[in-house]
Amino acid sequence: MKTRNAPLMLGLGIMSGTSADAIDVALVRFSAGKARLENFASIPYPARAREVVLGLGEGRATSTGEISQLNFLLGEIFADAALAACRKFKVRAAQVKFIGSHGQTVFHQGAASQFCGKQIASTLQIGDASVIAVRTGITTVGDFRPADMAAGGQGAPLVPFVDYLLYRSEEIGRAALNIGGIANVTVIPKAGKLSQVFAFDTGPGNMAIDALVRHYSAGRKTFDRNAEIAAKGNVIPGLLATLIRDKYFQKSPPKTAGREQYGAKYLETILSHSDVKRAKAEDVIHTATILTALAVVDAFHRLVLPKTKVTELIISGGGARNPLLTGQIKAALPNLKVRTSGELGIPSHAKEAYAFAILGHETLNKRSGNVPSATGAKRPVILGKVCHAG
């Protein structure tokens, strides 16, 4: 991928998504104006820390002390993950010039609401970047989202900047769909300028599916590998009809979603539905999978295709490995050529970690990394905070 003038250096991107199922680390080489993915590792998330993180993300009662402690604990965990990845990659930490760490989102409210007499929007990603920098000895860029929000944006999505660098084409319009815990899409018009790119969250990705798998397996399974469970089931029409009426789907971009909408309370909504009480687990999980697909397809028909001619759809994230989910999307969007991000050079599971290495590099070079037409910000801004090791 071409970048804006990049001196030779190695950078690490660290990403932990809304599912907190792993810490993804990408090693990226910047040379001669290009950014090449050199290696990738997925480091297991410590089980106890993950339990606390998911609880906070779903609004469990907590204290300022617990959040402070977790912030520093995750800094230690992310630092350990970075060093473990370096050992796996056979790269010395001293060879790495910087780390771009997304941090762990525990709260995100992109749209402003009344708070203490003012309209306030806010976001909180923890995993202190100073701890990462000092423990690894590597300059670390973190806390990417607040600058965009300070400029009037929703702080998300931020990956569209990298989608544009990766997928812009002079010949065709493309859309990049990432299906993580939440699903989001970036639309890149043919021969488009960065200012013409738009993006938004379509709604739940794997979040509800994963939660249902954990529920029905009593925690023995954390996701539906290859849609093995859902493939055995059928749609529950009444449940799907209820879920598809979610007001979020009707909102216009810019818009973002998270565990606040599709976490524990959403799971309760599904499980308390009258048609679910006597249903088989595979039918409920199948229905949640179809919902994710329908939300994506609806977003394309209402919010993407009427505005922009798109020829290719590039899918990444964990959902790219769910054949039921991707099959439904392909069937409902027959005029689009559907590809995985791996076909264009960046494996689907590595793309977001790769993206935060790119964004960290932009920050260190004092260049903006947000896309105002995607986030709703009033202007481009330099993202993140730089923490030095020394």
Side-chain angles (χ1 to χ4, degrees):
M1 182 192 82
K2 290 185 178 180
T3 63
R4 299 179 280 196
N5 297 327
L8 174 63
M9 67 169 67
L10 289 175
L12 289 177
I14 300 180
M15 177 69 191
S16 174
T18 50
S19 297
D21 49 5
I23 301 163
D24 294 335
V25 185
L27 178 67
V28 180
R29 180 179 296 275
F30 297 86
S31 176
K34 295 182 179 179
R36 186 176 75 183
L37 179 66
E38 292 280 295
N39 219 322
F40 172 80
S42 192
I43 309 298
Y45 214 111
R48 177 62 184 134
R50 180 176 188 266
E51 181 182 330
V52 176
V53 164
L54 293 181
L56 288 181
E58 290 167 354
R60 176 184 58 77
T62 186
S63 66
T64 52
E66 183 182 37
I67 295 172
S68 180
Q69 291 287 88
L70 187 61
N71 180 38
F72 274 64
L73 172 65
L74 291 184
E76 299 278 359
I77 289 171
F78 293 159
D80 289 344
L83 294 173
C86 284
R87 290 192 294 271
K88 182 175 180 178
F89 304 154
K90 294 182 170 51
V91 170
R92 291 181 293 108
Q95 294 176 268
V96 179
K97 291 294 185 180
F98 74 94
I99 293 171
S101 175
H102 172 269
Q104 182 66 60
T105 299
V106 293
F107 182 79
H108 184 82
Q109 181 181 307
S113 65
Q114 189 75 9
F115 182 75
C116 293
K118 286 197 173 184
Q119 289 290 314
I120 299 293
S122 67
T123 190
L124 183 61
Q125 286 74 45
I126 60 175
D128 194 83
S130 291
V131 174
I132 300 172
V134 172
R135 293 290 178 267
T136 62
I138 303 169
T139 297
T140 300
V141 184
D143 213 18
F144 286 88
R145 300 191 183 277
D148 180 82
M149 297 185 77
Q154 296 212 5
L158 295 184
V159 174
F161 177 83
V162 178
D163 286 334
Y164 177 78
L165 296 178
L166 282 171
Y167 304 132
R168 180 191 179 276
S169 168
E170 289 286 336
E171 289 78 35
I172 59 172
R174 285 173 165 159
L177 173 66
N178 184 75
I179 309 175
I182 296 297
N184 54 73
V185 64
T186 302
V187 183
I188 308 155
K190 172 183 173 181
K193 299 177 181 178
L194 184 61
S195 61
Q196 294 173 303
V197 171
F198 65 98
F200 57 94
D201 291 344
T202 63
N206 303 312
M207 188 177 289
I209 302 167
D210 293 349
L212 287 166
V213 170
R214 289 194 298 271
H215 170 79
Y216 284 113
S217 70
R220 292 187 298 275
K221 295 182 178 180
T222 56
F223 68 103
D224 188 11
R225 186 184 299 275
N226 297 320
E228 291 170 356
I229 301 172
K232 299 173 184 175
N234 297 291
V235 166
I236 303 172
L239 173 62
L240 185 60
T242 297
L243 297 178
I244 204 65
R245 289 196 293 268
D246 188 339
K247 291 181 180 179
Y248 180 82
F249 302 143
Q250 304 303 317
K251 292 175 65 177
S252 297
K255 60 178 182 175
T256 59
R259 192 165 292 281
E260 293 77 20
Q261 293 105 316
Y262 298 112
K265 291 181 181 178
Y266 195 69
L267 177 63
E268 290 175 12
T269 298
I270 294 173
L271 295 175
S272 63
H273 192 278
S274 58
D275 291 349
V276 168
K277 294 176 181 178
R278 293 178 298 278
K280 297 176 182 178
E282 54 263 37
D283 291 341
V284 182
I285 294 168
H286 182 99
T287 303
T289 305
I290 298 302
L291 173 71
T292 292
L294 285 180
V296 169
V297 171
D298 176 67
F300 268 81
H301 284 311
R302 290 193 306 105
L303 304 173
V304 176
L305 298 178
K307 297 180 181 178
T308 306
K309 184 178 180 181
V310 174
T311 302
E312 287 188 352
L313 172 59
I314 302 159
I315 303 181
S316 62
R321 300 191 294 274
N322 183 315
L324 176 62
L325 178 52
T326 57
Q328 291 291 320
I329 293 170
K330 289 177 184 178
L333 298 170
N335 295 325
L336 299 187
K337 180 179 180 181
V338 178
R339 309 173 71 180
T340 66
S341 63
E343 294 177 54
L344 282 82
I346 306 295
S348 62
H349 53 283
K351 185 181 151 196
E352 289 200 300
Y354 171 85
F356 279 91
I358 303 300
L359 291 172
H361 182 264
E362 293 302 299
T363 298
L364 288 176
N365 284 280
K366 298 181 181 179
R367 297 191 292 246
S368 61
N370 65 328
V371 180
S373 55
T375 65
K378 295 181 177 65
R379 58 184 176 87
V381 290
I382 298 170
L383 303 176
K385 301 175 176 70
V386 180
C387 299
H388 298 281

